Amino acid sequence: MNTVHGLSRRKFLLGSGGVVTLALAACVAPVPAGDTAQEAAAPAMPEALEVDLWHGLGGADGKTFTELVGQYMEENDHVTVNEELLTWDIFYQKVPSSVIAGNPPDMIITHEWAIGQWGPRRVLSAADDFYDSMGVPRDDFIPAVFENIHYEGSPLGVLLDTHGSGGYLNVALVEAAGLDPAAPPTNRTEFVEQMSLLTLDSQGRNPTDAGFDPEDIVQYAFHSHFWRRWAMLEGMWQNGGNTINEDGTQATIDSEEVTEALAFWHTMVHEHHLHAVPVGYSMTDSYQNNTLGLAIAGSWWRNFIQDSNLVDTTTFWRVPQYGLVEPVAWMSAHVMGIPTGTDEEGTMGASDLIVWLSNHGLDWARSGQPPARISLQNDQVLQDHWHTGNFGSQFQAIGRTEQQHANITEIQNAYQQEFEAVITNVKTVSEGIAEAQLRVQEVLDRDA
Amino acid sequence: MAATSHEQRRVGKPMPRWRKLLPNYLFLVPYFVFFLLFLAGPNVYGFYISLFNWDILLPNKPFLGFGNYQELWLDKLWWLSLRNTVLFAALTVGGNVLLGLFASVLVKQRPPGHQILRFLFYTPVVLSVAVMGVILARVFNTEFGLLNYYVDMVGLPTQKWLGEQRFVIPILSLSTVWWTFGFPFLVFLAGLLNIPEPIYEAARIDGVNRLQSFTHITLPLLKPVTLFIVVTQFIAHFKVFGQMWIMTLGGPGNSSYSVVMYLYDVGWRFFRMGYASSLAFGLAAIILVVTLINFRFLGGRVEY
Amino acid sequence: MAIETRTHEPTVDYSLPFWKRKTVLHRIDMAVILILLIPVAIATILPLVYMFSQAFTPEDQVRNWPVEYIPREPTLASFQLLVTWPNLPIMRWMLNSFIVSTSVTALVLTINSLTAYAFGRLEFPGRDFLFIFVLTTLMIPGEVTLIPTFVIMRRLEWLDTYNALIWPAGAGVFGIFLLRQFFQSIPRELEDAAIIDGCGKFGTYWRIVLPLSRSALIALGIFTFLGSWNDLFWPLIALNSNEMRTLPVGLSILQHEGYTMQGLGMAAAALTTVPVLILYGIFQRHIIQGVMVTGLTGR
């Protein structure tokens, strides 16, 4: 019963004893980096702090995050962190709603691609203080990604990690198909050839064999997590295309590059049968049950692989190049930020937690997400790790972040719906492309 | 009424008319506060908002005139969601009316246990759409759903019920009929019990068989009840949201995307409140047209 | 106005058609009717039975075939998990639902009965015009008011509080319509007697009209309570924080969050449903009569 009619316990505390401690807390010195520094800063904090934290880390990485928060609370026993886990879809609806309601959480973990949308809507407060006075070094982040979280010259939060997609390869299945796990395909022809050996019907036939029964497939060659966005972006980027142009004025979905990418995806699903129709298909279940050769999934799969005892049978592949121009892997970053309208005490607690998490990037890497701090990324143990090391170097080599836009959710929604209609054969490729182009252009024109 | 007020006026001074009438109006005050704030006011305000590019989080809200309505007219997604919604509503209302009528005609004959049946048929109506969606999502699940289990048992091929364009709206309609047919069932039953028995008795004496008495007596006399059901059911099912939002999220490929889902996305995911408002008025206009059509075809008085 | 539901069967009832009298033919008829109706009844109830059986089935058996409608090893594990699961304050959700639904019911009964009394029993200029005016708003679907009400709630700073869910219900029209019909059927002599006894208008309303309308008030109260308890769309958009959610909102978000544990979702659905089923069981006569009366007056 924390909140009745909008009055939270935190506000109540603030009204009673909290005021005095707040006044004291104003003299908190900037928190230097490192664990021991936390102890020193603690006495000046209010006696009891609550931090309401919203995030969508509901995948395998959520486990590590909750452990981290637990560790933080142990080290700072005057702070209670109320984690609220939402699906990202609902998260992206509820965060702005809570700012509208004037009752936002104290802290959120959002994505780097969303900053362009939060900025003009004042959903997040400027986070200069973290860098100016709380010891987070500005130059310890990948410059391009750091630049992405700025709005009107100010960073709107602190980067937590770098994450994105990569390939999890079932070694046994690949070897059974007569392929070499150490020799990934390097172009489209090789990709299709190799993958064709990995799809099997119940009689053990490949799609290229005579008598192959596409209604009776028991093992798919590969699957791409969250097909509608990440895989499609990778597909078009690898072709040299994109959804919108750089200044966000022109939709470029009806370009040859994007059309070709979508058509190729359609072929992979419906003609080559390398990839299941991505509706009602569980990639997790299939990979776990050894009925999927290559899972192109998120870096946050590390816990899932470990907990399912799949480490020994899994090897890492960079996202293969099946496009025509260059290899690209989708990447993004989690951003820790403080919403507009958070009260002073909440801001204080959230700030402390953000700095702590930023410093504990190596612990967060246990989830599979390489740290955002370059100094931490260079850690040798991390670099040598089969999972995190490979993901980290992949992002540095071929990682690419999404184009930002003030209405990115709407743009994503538009092309995702149309691409899904194509892949489920509700629309043809040219219909889907034309429609997506029209819808995205309409969003861009509206703000011009 | 005219006479009493005339008398009151003649009584004259001791108590002015307005003082006598004042308490009557006072009874209405509480309601009209709510009425203005949450019903009449929002209707007007909603129309006002629909004239702007009204992003609730942006300070700048440019005036568009009827620009949102123009956009709506050209918006393929609106027409698609409307098509889905009309299809869904028509199937659901049709199914509800047929099943409701069928069950009520039989229950009216008071078979043994008819009260239990009456109780059971109405039970799903008291559930939340959330509960209904959670249960039926499991029933129609491709891999381990009840339906596929029984389909497989009788030797038919299993299907991706909610994953295929041709099935998804009919399945959602079927689910909704399961959930709501108890309402038309009870209303039809009331209508049937309200038909005087001597009419049937007289018809029987005239040698009319059961089927004839159903088509010539029951159905015509049920016309007003049918109108009530069809009108209210269409209004209710045009607003469909929860079933889709929980069971399909509008998929596959938008083939179960409803108008109110679109309203939700535009208003609360993209925060385009102005356009969302014009969507709501578009939906209101469609509902009005359908209601008028219903009255045109089912209206008219019935004499006993 | 009241519906004759005929709960008992007289030995000889000449008002009935001959085929309903107890003859051999009658028995055949009844058998045919039951053969037609029983499958409908089973289909109606099966998903509910499925929900309860899954809620009580151990998690590792929920996908077993054939389905055990009566679990072989019934367990409360899913419920225990549900109540102790972090981030799923389901008891809090239930409390929220209860507070909101009860308040809405109290509000609607108060406001609507006052208004219906004025419209149905009192006389004053403009009465019929106002009544028609209120009724015409029934023609405009409620979706139109969602956006503006949201904006108004923001101005009032009521978003994410109970207020946002409770007060808009005060503008409901249905109850006015229903109660007005009922109040008009109360004999005027009773009211006159009360006025002679020195009751004012409010006294008449409070001491005569309301007590005589008990069944109508109960029916309206139950419908209002159920409607509020089950509502999804408005609470979904008006509430943000986890601890403010009502049961349907919590349940549907739970479904979205893809908790792969089937038993957990079904246990939550069952918990949401049990209070409703209890209410329905207790008040079924009022509910069924209420629907039937509404259906007939609605024409």
Side-chain angles (χ1 to χ4, degrees):
Chain A
M1 277 265 270
N2 272 336
T3 313
V4 178
H5 296 275
L7 177 73
S8 70
R9 193 156 76 210
R10 203 180 64 232
K11 282 177 191 163
F12 175 70
L13 280 173
L14 190 67
S16 51
V19 182
V20 186
T21 40
L22 248 185
L24 288 174
C27 354
V28 178
V31 184
D35 290 356
T36 45
Q38 299 300 320
E39 319 291 322
M45 301 283 288
E47 279 166 29
L49 266 180
E50 274 193 56
V51 179
D52 291 333
L53 163 61
W54 290 10
H55 62 75
L57 302 167
D61 52 348
K63 197 181 95 174
T64 307
F65 190 77
T66 304
E67 282 168 15
L68 268 187
V69 167
Q71 190 186 335
Y72 172 80
M73 285 196 283
E74 243 171 63
E75 290 176 20
N76 303 271
D77 53 11
H78 61 294
V79 186
T80 312
V81 180
N82 302 316
E83 259 189 273
E84 185 164 327
L85 173 67
L86 300 145
T87 59
W88 286 116
D89 245 17
I90 291 170
F91 174 90
Y92 278 106
Q93 191 239 306
K94 282 304 172 198
V95 167
S97 262
S98 71
V99 172
I100 290 169
N103 187 21
D106 304 315
M107 172 179 166
I108 62 169
I109 293 181
T110 179
H111 292 100
E112 144 279 329
W113 53 260
I115 297 298
Q117 177 159 303
W118 295 154
R121 291 183 174 77
R122 311 282 168 206
V123 170
L124 287 173
S125 341
D128 296 287
D129 286 355
F130 287 102
Y131 306 92
D132 296 342
S133 61
M134 283 186 259
V136 179
R138 281 177 199 269
D139 52 6
D140 202 15
F141 299 98
I142 301 171
V145 181
F146 189 54
E147 189 49 44
N148 276 352
I149 67 164
H150 281 67
Y151 181 75
E152 290 183 345
S154 290
L156 295 190
V158 177
L159 288 162
L160 174 65
D161 57 28
T162 316
H163 62 241
S165 59
Y168 296 80
L169 192 71
N170 186 317
V171 182
L173 296 184
V174 169
E175 284 172 347
L179 296 167
D180 180 4
T186 55
N187 58 45
R188 177 178 292 183
T189 320
E190 283 177 27
F191 180 73
V192 174
E193 266 175 25
Q194 294 195 12
M195 289 298 128
S196 295
L197 299 173
L198 265 173
T199 292
L200 299 174
D201 69 7
S202 63
Q203 305 301 311
R205 290 174 296 224
N206 299 127
T208 45
D209 292 342
F212 173 77
D213 182 4
E215 297 296 312
D216 192 23
I217 296 173
V218 294
Q219 173 183 317
Y220 275 100
F222 84 111
H223 202 89
S224 193
H225 194 42
F226 204 40
W227 176 88
R228 299 182 305 169
R229 192 160 116 240
W230 301 329
M232 266 316 298
L233 288 174
E234 278 165 359
M236 63 179 82
W237 290 343
Q238 291 195 358
N239 270 356
N242 201 359
T243 48
I244 56 178
N245 68 351
E246 265 174 38
D247 57 3
T249 53
Q250 189 64 44
T252 51
I253 289 176
D254 64 354
S255 65
E256 231 170 81
E257 292 85 359
V258 180
T259 312
E260 204 278 337
L262 182 60
F264 177 62
W265 265 95
H266 188 269
T267 324
M268 283 201 285
V269 173
H270 293 284
E271 281 175 33
H272 299 317
H273 305 291
L274 305 180
H275 187 287
V277 178
V279 173
Y281 176 85
S282 169
M283 181 169 79
T284 323
D285 287 355
S286 307
Y287 193 77
Q288 205 168 12
N289 296 330
N290 295 312
T291 56
L292 176 66
L294 172 66
I296 299 180
S299 39
W300 50 90
W301 249 29
R302 181 172 153 183
N303 283 335
F304 161 68
I305 297 291
Q306 282 170 354
D307 295 350
S308 314
N309 295 320
L310 297 167
V311 178
D312 295 337
T313 57
T314 298
T315 191
F316 174 84
W317 269 10
R318 287 186 180 181
V319 175
Q321 184 191 334
Y322 50 78
L324 302 171
V325 177
E326 58 182 345
V328 182
W330 176 86
M331 110 181 149
S332 181
H334 287 124
V335 183
M336 304 175 282
I338 298 177
T340 315
T342 303
D343 60 36
E344 214 175 320
E345 199 188 344
T347 306
M348 196 187 308
S351 305
D352 192 57
L353 176 57
I354 289 174
V355 173
W356 189 92
L357 284 168
S358 179
N359 292 335
H360 284 72
L362 282 178
D363 293 317
W364 174 234
R366 291 203 305 269
S367 68
Q369 325 278 40
R373 298 270 193 95
I374 295 170
S375 56
L376 298 176
Q377 264 181 36
N378 292 335
D379 178 88
Q380 201 53 49
V381 179
L382 190 83
Q383 298 248 320
D384 291 344
H385 191 271
W386 73 271
H387 180 280
T388 329
N390 281 318
F391 265 99
S393 63
Q394 177 199 242
F395 294 145
Q396 280 174 23
I398 59 167
R400 175 163 170 183
T401 56
E402 248 170 291
Q403 178 88 30
Q404 291 199 359
H405 189 273
N407 292 324
I408 192 71
T409 308
E410 202 178 348
I411 292 173
Q412 289 168 351
N413 191 64
Y415 69 73
Q416 285 179 42
Q417 284 183 344
E418 298 302 329
F419 291 165
E420 188 191 299
V422 171
I423 217 73
T424 50
N425 279 334
V426 174
K427 286 181 181 165
T428 65
V429 172
S430 50
E431 282 168 357
I433 287 283
E435 198 58 34
Q437 168 76 13
L438 209 70
R439 286 177 61 182
V440 172
Q441 188 62 49
E442 193 271 326
V443 178
L444 300 181
D445 288 346
R446 196 188 320 131
D447 299 294
Chain B
M1 191 166 137
T4 43
S5 54
H6 187 64
E7 271 169 71
Q8 278 164 358
R9 206 171 301 148
R10 230 193 267 166
V11 177
K13 296 203 171 128
M15 197 176 205
R17 185 167 173 258
W18 68 267
R19 289 261 332 248
K20 245 191 134 136
L21 286 174
L22 186 66
N24 295 2
Y25 289 105
L26 284 182
F27 275 93
L28 289 178
V29 169
Y31 179 72
F32 273 86
V33 171
F34 286 101
F35 180 76
L36 289 177
L37 193 55
F38 294 122
L39 197 56
N43 272 306
V44 178
Y45 190 36
F47 184 70
Y48 174 78
I49 288 175
S50 78
L51 304 177
F52 293 82
N53 185 359
W54 186 295
D55 186 315
I56 192 162
L57 280 162
L58 292 176
N60 190 16
K61 297 176 171 56
F63 179 73
L64 295 177
F66 287 95
N68 280 329
Y69 291 92
Q70 259 173 327
E71 186 185 335
L72 189 65
W73 184 255
L74 299 171
D75 183 348
K76 285 194 184 169
L77 199 54
W78 146 255
W79 293 112
L80 174 69
S81 64
L82 186 64
R83 188 202 76 98
N84 294 338
T85 307
V86 170
L87 181 63
F88 170 84
L91 284 177
T92 308
V93 175
N96 264 346
V97 166
L98 289 180
L99 188 58
L101 190 60
F102 171 79
S104 63
V105 166
L106 295 181
V107 168
K108 192 221 167 192
Q109 306 302 324
R110 286 184 290 123
H114 64 101
Q115 283 178 309
I116 297 173
L117 290 172
R118 204 180 60 176
F119 177 78
L120 288 184
F121 291 165
Y122 193 74
T123 307
V125 184
V126 302
L127 302 181
S128 167
V129 65
V131 172
M132 171 262 184
V134 168
I135 301 175
L136 292 183
R138 303 289 157 84
V139 170
F140 296 115
N141 185 289
T142 308
E143 289 161 66
F144 51 90
L146 265 193
L147 182 62
N148 266 349
Y149 169 67
Y150 288 116
V151 161
D152 190 51
M153 206 162 76
V154 296
L156 294 169
T158 60
Q159 304 286 351
K160 291 180 183 171
W161 298 110
L162 294 169
E164 276 191 47
Q165 191 190 11
R166 61 197 164 125
F167 291 130
V168 65
I169 294 267
I171 289 286
L172 287 167
S173 279
L174 184 70
S175 309
T176 310
V177 169
W178 171 77
W179 178 40
T180 55
F181 89 95
F183 178 77
F185 158 75
L186 279 187
V187 177
F188 272 129
L189 189 61
L192 288 169
L193 293 172
N194 215 31
I195 298 174
E197 280 300 334
I199 298 183
Y200 290 110
E201 197 73 2
R204 189 187 60 77
I205 290 163
D206 290 346
V208 172
N209 70 27
R210 281 197 229 177
L211 184 67
Q212 285 169 325
S213 90
F214 178 72
T215 53
H216 288 82
I217 302 172
T218 312
L219 282 187
L221 289 182
L222 278 182
K223 226 173 141 189
V225 176
T226 313
L227 174 70
F228 170 77
I229 290 172
V230 170
V231 167
T232 53
Q233 290 278 295
F234 257 111
I235 292 176
H237 295 304
F238 259 109
K239 301 173 179 176
V240 62
F241 168 78
Q243 292 96 308
M244 279 84 169
W245 194 65
I246 292 167
M247 293 167 73
T248 67
L249 274 176
N254 278 352
S255 35
S256 63
Y257 199 54
S258 76
V259 173
V260 175
M261 279 193 84
Y262 191 32
L263 179 77
Y264 171 81
D265 278 352
V266 172
W268 285 277
R269 285 180 64 210
F270 313 145
F271 295 94
R272 298 181 63 202
M273 299 276 173
Y275 191 56
S277 232
S278 67
L279 263 171
F281 277 95
L283 179 65
I286 301 289
I287 290 179
L288 197 66
V289 168
V290 170
T291 304
L292 290 177
I293 293 172
N294 285 333
F295 270 99
R296 172 76 185 74
F297 283 99
L298 292 165
R301 295 219 62 82
V302 172
E303 302 293 330
Y304 287 105
Chain C
M1 178 109 154
I3 299 297
E4 178 54 63
T5 46
R6 289 176 237 189
T7 49
H8 58 91
E9 198 162 334
T11 39
V12 183
D13 182 351
Y14 290 102
S15 71
L16 292 176
F18 77 98
W19 60 78
K20 289 211 241 155
R21 296 171 205 158
K22 291 206 165 173
T23 60
V24 176
L25 200 57
H26 167 84
R27 285 169 209 282
I28 295 173
D29 275 341
M30 290 305 134
V32 171
I33 288 173
L34 282 182
I35 289 168
L36 290 171
L37 282 184
I38 285 173
V40 181
I42 291 176
T44 308
I45 219 64
L46 202 63
L48 282 173
V49 176
Y50 181 55
M51 170 182 77
F52 282 111
S53 71
Q54 293 269 291
F56 287 103
T57 304
E59 187 62 43
D60 57 352
Q61 293 173 24
V62 288
R63 293 184 192 191
N64 282 5
W65 295 115
V67 175
E68 292 164 11
Y69 285 104
I70 298 167
R72 206 176 309 153
E73 305 162 26
T75 168
L76 286 172
S78 291
F79 290 94
Q80 279 162 351
L81 201 60
L82 191 64
V83 176
T84 52
W85 196 270
N87 227 343
L88 279 182
I90 192 152
M91 286 304 157
R92 174 63 199 254
W93 296 347
M94 191 172 275
L95 181 73
N96 292 340
S97 279
F98 190 78
I99 291 173
V100 168
S101 304
T102 315
S103 313
V104 162
T105 308
L107 178 72
V108 165
L109 287 180
T110 313
I111 302 280
N112 281 0
S113 62
L114 281 171
T115 317
Y117 180 68
F119 280 141
R121 303 295 290 197
L122 300 177
E123 282 168 3
F124 49 90
R127 182 191 69 175
D128 293 343
F129 169 76
L130 286 176
F131 183 62
I132 301 281
F133 183 59
V134 168
L135 273 195
T136 44
T137 57
L138 277 178
M139 295 293 285
I140 307 171
E143 272 53 35
V144 164
T145 60
L146 285 169
I147 300 267
T149 308
F150 185 80
V151 177
I152 290 169
M153 287 297 171
R154 182 200 190 184
R155 300 250 161 97
L156 294 170
E157 299 190 358
W158 280 358
L159 288 173
D160 209 23
T161 71
Y162 296 134
N163 287 332
L165 302 197
I166 294 168
W167 298 112
V173 181
F174 169 75
I176 297 178
F177 183 70
L178 187 82
L179 292 180
R180 177 177 165 274
Q181 298 275 81
F182 197 90
F183 290 169
Q184 282 180 335
S185 70
I186 295 173
R188 193 157 285 277
E189 296 79 50
L190 287 169
E191 209 176 332
D192 291 342
I195 290 168
I196 289 162
D197 284 351
C199 279
K201 275 170 183 148
F202 187 79
T204 316
Y205 154 81
W206 185 252
R207 309 239 296 264
I208 307 292
V209 174
L210 285 192
L212 284 172
S213 312
R214 217 174 129 255
S215 64
L217 290 172
I218 290 177
L220 176 62
I222 297 290
F223 285 127
T224 309
F225 188 92
L226 288 177
S228 174
W229 184 273
N230 289 338
D231 195 15
L232 173 68
F233 195 80
W234 176 248
L236 178 69
I237 56 185
L239 303 174
N240 299 314
S241 46
N242 194 3
E243 66 209 13
M244 288 305 294
R245 285 176 196 160
T246 58
L247 276 172
V249 176
L251 179 62
S252 54
I253 290 182
L254 182 72
Q255 172 81 357
H256 270 277
E257 284 172 355
Y259 281 89
T260 41
M261 275 177 287
Q262 176 148 340
L264 196 71
M266 288 304 209
L271 267 185
T272 308
T273 308
V274 164
V276 166
L277 288 184
I278 291 174
L279 263 189
Y280 179 50
I282 296 173
F283 292 105
Q284 54 134 329
R285 276 171 48 93
H286 287 97
I287 292 173
I288 288 171
Q289 290 253 339
V291 175
M292 293 169 105
V293 169
T294 319
L296 289 188
T297 54
R299 31 186 198 156

